[in-house]
Amino acid sequence: SSPWEMVREWLTWSPLLILPILFDRYVRPASASEIAVLVLLCAASVFVVVWGAIQIRSSALKAVYLYQTGRAEVDGAFSSCMVIAFTSMLMVVRKRWYVVGVSLLLIISGVGVIMCLYRTLYVATLLFVPVVLLMGTPDERRRGLRRILIVGCCVVAVATPILLHNRLTRLLIAQYT
């Protein structure tokens, strides 16, 4: 992964910076269109993550070398796009059940980004999330940052014991560092 690939990914997905503006302008809160968008994003995210898990499992079974495990032939950029979209939604959603649903979708999309094992995608996603947060009003920034930190702490608290218990995960982490 060269810096040029990171710049290319950044330029490819930079038009998505207007997504929160368009969503705020054309989709009214608690409307049928907002629910439809949420359901479509949920379905697409679950499909991409499940397909990536199937691909990872099949490639792990066929792998000869340890570094080949985990390489999925799935478009990880879609998961990155969903992370950015769900981050934007966490900033504006106010109902508790919507927040829980969007948080779960953010976690699923984050898993999709991690499963792709592309460092360029990691960097591009991590660069765009603060940009999306900066695009909101001060109240939305605080709300979004607080919710993302809560979701992140919950994920770390739940995933760390599970991942460190798995020997293959420890070997993959050692291979990556």
Side-chain angles (χ1 to χ4, degrees), residues 16 24 32-34 72 80 86 102 111 131 149 151 156 169 173 175:
L16 289 176
D24 187 45
S33 58
E34 182 183 38
S80 179
F86 292 136
V102 171
V111 168
V131 170
L149 290 175
V151 169
V156 168
T169 304
I173 292 171
Q175 183 77 17

Side-chain angles (χ1 to χ4, degrees), residues 2-173:
S2 69
W4 291 111
E5 289 180 20
M6 182 183 72
V7 170
R8 183 191 59 160
E9 288 289 329
W10 189 68
L11 290 175
T12 301
W13 292 104
S14 60
L16 289 176
L17 291 174
I18 64 169
L19 182 66
I21 297 169
L22 292 175
F23 188 84
D24 187 45
R25 180 174 289 171
Y26 294 110
V27 179
R28 291 195 172 91
S31 66
S33 58
E34 182 183 38
I35 293 170
V37 168
L38 186 63
V39 168
L40 286 174
L41 289 175
C42 174
S45 298
V46 169
F47 175 76
V48 167
V49 170
V50 168
W51 182 253
I54 291 169
Q55 292 289 34
I56 286 173
R57 184 178 184 280
S58 67
S59 66
L61 293 174
K62 296 176 185 176
V64 176
Y65 299 106
L66 183 61
Y67 70 88
Q68 290 177 336
T69 61
R71 295 290 178 175
E73 296 299 324
V74 67
D75 186 16
F78 180 75
S79 294
S80 179
C81 173
M82 291 297 99
V83 167
I84 293 166
F86 292 136
T87 299
S88 173
M89 290 176 73
L90 271 181
M91 293 169 53
V92 295
V93 171
R94 292 190 185 266
K95 291 186 178 181
R96 178 175 289 158
W97 288 110
Y98 286 170
V99 171
V100 170
V102 171
S103 298
L104 290 174
L105 293 174
L106 178 66
I107 292 169
I108 290 170
S109 300
V111 168
V113 171
I114 291 169
M115 284 177 22
C116 289
L117 295 176
Y118 295 126
R119 290 180 187 157
T120 307
L121 201 57
Y122 296 159
V123 172
T125 304
L126 290 175
L127 284 177
F128 272 111
V129 168
V131 170
V132 169
L133 288 171
L134 289 174
M135 291 177 62
T137 64
D139 186 43
E140 290 174 343
R141 281 185 219 142
R142 275 192 302 278
R143 188 180 316 124
L145 184 61
R146 184 182 44 142
R147 289 176 179 170
I148 288 173
L149 290 175
I150 290 170
V151 169
C153 289
C154 291
V155 167
V156 168
V158 170
T160 301
I162 295 169
L163 291 177
L164 293 180
H165 183 69
N166 188 350
R167 182 177 172 196
L168 181 61
T169 304
R170 289 194 307 266
L171 290 172
L172 279 172
I173 292 171

